Amino acid sequence: MFRKSKRLIAFFTGILFSVFAQGQEKPVSFKYQQEVKGTEGSLTIKAVIKEGSKLYSIKSFGAEAPINTQISFDSTSRKFLDETIIESGNAKTEKDASFNTTVTFFTDSVQWQQKLIIADKDTAVISGTLTYFVKTGEEYNNYEEPFKVTVIKAAERNNDNVAGGKGSLNDNLKNRSLFWIFLASFGGGLLAVITPCVFSMVPVTVSFFTKRSKTRAEGVKNAFFYSASIIIIFTLLGLLITLIFGPAA
């Protein structure tokens, strides 16, 4: 009886600490990926754990150790679920002294995959909540991570009218040549020049270089460096955003 009380005190002490931890940066970040082939699909959730923390498995450790991770789906999403969630990662086990039981946890990353069944005409919205426990040092903290992922079938992702489909831009561009993309981008830039907010600045910009430069050659040189700087800066920014967030960003 004393041991059970001690474990419960340790558990609820961790819950108390987690209330203060909610306002701080969370020790686990999540990435969501969806895939559809025909009427079958999958939702993959990848958890990346910060160094020094332990994220507990979705396996149940019994009533005396209610610290496992739970993935619950909303009622509207359950009709798309098929089979149980598959957990994969470099799992570790140890005897937890606070609960006097063996627990399974991860220290770097873990991936959960839920199979889906999607009808021919369905676009599935999978939503739910991740309730997970993390141990950092001797503290147990629990967090909640709501999620909502729209699973769009491949045929619909190719339709430009589908709003919010992350794959639509990639699917359209990957079938185009690099030269076509360059011409489309160049044409879009020329069209942008005649917009009211840009076209009205053309005389101001030209006047700036002509009045600032003593000779025509110096004016051309200043204009060249000005244009080259804009091209280089925005190209580097675009490349950086693409490397970090992907080509659809």
Side-chain angles (χ1 to χ4, degrees):
M1 183 68 179
F2 176 74
R3 289 183 178 178
K4 288 184 178 181
S5 300
K6 184 178 179 181
R7 288 195 290 268
L8 288 175
I9 291 173
F11 173 72
F12 286 111
T13 301
I15 296 297
L16 182 61
F17 278 115
S18 70
V19 173
F20 298 98
Q22 295 293 331
Q24 302 175 357
E25 188 177 1
K26 294 182 179 180
V28 182
S29 59
F30 297 93
K31 297 179 181 178
Y32 303 88
Q33 182 179 358
Q34 49 107 337
E35 183 179 358
V36 183
K37 292 182 179 179
T39 58
E40 297 182 355
S42 64
L43 170 64
T44 302
I45 304 175
K46 183 178 180 180
V48 180
I49 309 158
K50 288 192 173 182
E51 186 177 358
S53 296
K54 299 176 181 179
L55 174 63
Y56 289 97
S57 168
I58 60 175
K59 297 179 181 179
S60 178
F61 306 124
E64 295 184 355
I67 56 175
N68 61 304
T69 295
Q70 297 181 25
I71 304 176
S72 58
F73 294 93
D74 295 342
S75 57
T76 55
S77 305
R78 292 172 188 165
K79 64 179 180 179
F80 300 106
L81 307 184
D82 182 35
E83 301 180 4
T84 58
I85 297 176
I86 300 174
E87 182 178 74
S88 58
N90 185 19
K92 300 178 181 179
T93 59
E94 68 176 7
K95 187 72 172 291
D96 191 284
S98 299
F99 296 95
N100 194 29
T101 188
T102 300
V103 295
T104 304
F105 61 92
F106 302 87
T107 57
D108 47 10
S109 65
V110 59
Q111 185 170 285
W112 298 293
Q113 186 178 73
Q114 172 65 61
K115 290 185 177 180
L116 305 172
I117 295 295
I118 303 174
D120 291 337
K121 297 181 180 179
D122 277 348
T123 297
V125 178
I126 310 298
S127 58
T129 305
L130 261 163
T131 305
Y132 60 100
F133 278 85
V134 179
K135 184 178 182 182
T136 305
E138 297 300 321
E139 295 181 5
Y140 297 86
N141 295 319
N142 73 311
Y143 301 87
E144 285 191 353
E145 177 81 13
F147 61 88
K148 185 176 182 180
V149 180
T150 302
V151 180
I152 304 175
K153 302 191 70 174
E156 296 178 354
R157 282 203 296 268
N158 289 330
N159 188 344
D160 292 336
N161 295 324
V162 175
K166 293 183 178 180
S168 59
L169 179 61
N170 288 333
D171 291 339
N172 289 330
L173 292 182
K174 70 181 181 180
N175 296 323
R176 303 289 187 175
S177 67
L178 188 62
F179 183 68
W180 183 94
I181 296 174
F182 170 77
L183 290 179
S185 302
F186 187 77
L190 291 178
L191 290 175
V193 174
I194 64 175
T195 58
C197 58
V198 177
F199 189 75
S200 59
M201 293 300 296
V202 173
V204 177
T205 307
V206 173
S207 177
F208 173 78
F209 286 113
T210 55
K211 290 183 178 180
R212 183 180 179 182
S213 306
K214 297 179 181 180
T215 63
R216 182 178 182 277
E218 186 179 353
V220 172
K221 178 182 177 182
N222 291 335
F224 172 79
F225 282 117
Y226 173 77
S227 303
S229 298
I230 292 178
I231 294 172
I232 293 172
I233 290 172
F234 278 91
T235 301
L236 291 177
L237 285 175
L239 179 62
L240 183 62
I241 292 173
T242 301
L243 291 175
I244 297 175
F245 301 104

